[in-house]
Amino acid sequence: MSKLLTDRARIIPVLVVTIVIAVGATLVIVLAGGSTGGASSAPPPSAALTGGRGKTVTVHISMFAFKPSTVTVAAGTTVAFTNLDTTEHTATANNGPIFDTGAIQHDQTKTVTLTKTGTYAYHCAFHPFMTGTIIVK
Amino acid sequence: MTPYKSKLRRSDRIRFLAIGLLLCEGGVHLQQYESFLHSVPTINTLFLLNAVSAAVIALALAACRNEIAILLAISAIGMTVTGLVSLAIARQSVLFNYSEPTLRFPVLFAALVELATVLVASRFVALRLREIA
């Protein structure tokens, strides 16, 4: 009986050290490896040229991704961002203050209208890994 | 008739409470990973890691009641405080490309559970050290 208790007393510290090493090693792998999986790994297909002055094209924000991630629109088209996630998002232009929707709440829609031709890359200010592009032709 | 007296030490009752809170903490992280955050790079892995670590520590804490239990409780406190600090940073700015601007119900619930875990685990460590002394 005493041998059993002694064995148990020996096993427990070994078990704990093993668990600590396993958890620590996983943490190191995660921190060293950076991102794994996620919305940015498989961008949704881009939309064909749509819209026109006075028309609206909708980009849905769902599961931390802009869908479609790339839209090609005619100059003067309004792009509407509808947030389907329960956390807030933004659509913010990468290069300067070209457009910024500000915080978009759950089920809320905010719009931007781009009149000049060009390619506008944007991201979510709260979740910078979420990116998209609007091509204005 | 002799009045019933619990054979459990006070520190054991606190330990069981800590185990329950740890499992709850891990459960919330697992639920958030599964339903919401699995597509968020880095954060998804950290949430999964938290859930697994909480379960492992809870099970180990259930199996041990001696000095090892104190170390396990301290590791639970460390893990939980890290989670709370990470949440505080994510509420104010961006952490690992992620921020939490909305005080969603699961976020509030997780924060309360984590706070309770820290308090209960700390109480267990204090009681157990007093018993040993």
Side-chain angles (χ1 to χ4, degrees):
Chain A
M1 181 69 184
S2 62
K3 186 180 181 302
L4 190 70
L5 288 173
T6 313
D7 286 347
R8 196 183 164 203
R10 281 179 189 162
I11 287 168
I12 288 170
V14 173
L15 192 65
V16 170
V17 169
T18 308
I19 290 166
V20 169
I21 289 171
V23 172
T26 312
L27 192 61
V28 167
I29 290 165
V30 168
L31 294 178
S35 63
T36 53
S40 57
S41 61
S46 58
L49 177 65
T50 52
R53 194 168 296 279
K55 293 191 174 176
T56 301
V57 169
T58 301
V59 174
H60 288 111
I61 306 172
S62 169
M63 295 310 290
F64 293 92
F66 295 104
K67 295 173 183 176
S69 61
T70 301
V71 287
T72 304
V73 297
T77 303
T78 296
V79 179
F81 293 93
T82 300
N83 181 13
L84 304 176
D85 280 344
T86 51
T87 192
E88 292 172 30
H89 292 293
T90 76
T92 307
N94 288 359
N95 302 318
I98 301 165
F99 67 87
D100 184 4
T101 60
I104 311 171
Q105 313 283 337
H106 173 58
D107 271 344
Q108 191 184 18
T109 298
K110 288 198 177 178
T111 61
V112 296
T113 304
L114 298 167
T115 51
K116 288 185 180 176
T117 57
T119 299
Y120 301 91
Y122 64 93
H123 64 279
C124 170
F126 298 131
H127 313 101
F129 65 91
M130 292 172 58
T131 57
T133 307
I134 302 171
I135 301 167
V136 182
K137 287 187 174 174
Chain B
M1 188 174 166
T2 324
Y4 172 77
K5 191 181 176 187
S6 171
K7 286 178 182 175
L8 283 176
R9 286 181 300 198
R10 193 171 174 208
S11 65
D12 281 330
R13 289 197 293 270
I14 298 287
R15 181 165 60 98
F16 292 139
L17 185 58
I19 290 165
L21 285 166
L22 268 171
L23 289 173
C24 195
E25 178 185 335
V28 174
H29 279 85
L30 190 63
Q31 186 274 336
Q32 283 296 287
Y33 168 83
E34 168 59 26
S35 68
F36 192 63
L37 294 167
H38 61 270
S39 59
V40 179
T42 307
I43 294 294
N44 56 1
T45 316
L46 291 175
F47 265 64
L48 198 57
L49 191 67
N50 180 291
V52 172
S53 303
V56 167
I57 293 172
L59 288 175
L61 202 54
C64 306
R65 61 187 296 188
N66 49 17
E67 287 81 357
I68 300 294
I70 296 174
L71 292 177
L72 288 165
I74 290 169
S75 63
I77 293 167
M79 180 188 75
T80 308
V81 167
T82 305
L84 278 169
V85 170
S86 301
L87 175 61
I89 293 170
R91 290 276 302 152
Q92 298 298 319
S93 61
V94 177
L95 178 71
F96 294 122
N97 267 341
Y98 182 81
S99 126
E100 189 66 72
T102 315
L103 196 59
R104 297 177 291 116
F105 173 73
V107 175
L108 190 63
F109 182 73
L112 290 174
V113 168
E114 286 176 341
L115 202 60
T117 305
V118 171
L119 293 174
V120 170
S122 302
R123 183 74 182 136
F124 167 73
V125 171
L127 280 173
R128 200 69 193 90
L129 285 174
R130 201 178 301 163
E131 284 169 2
I132 289 168

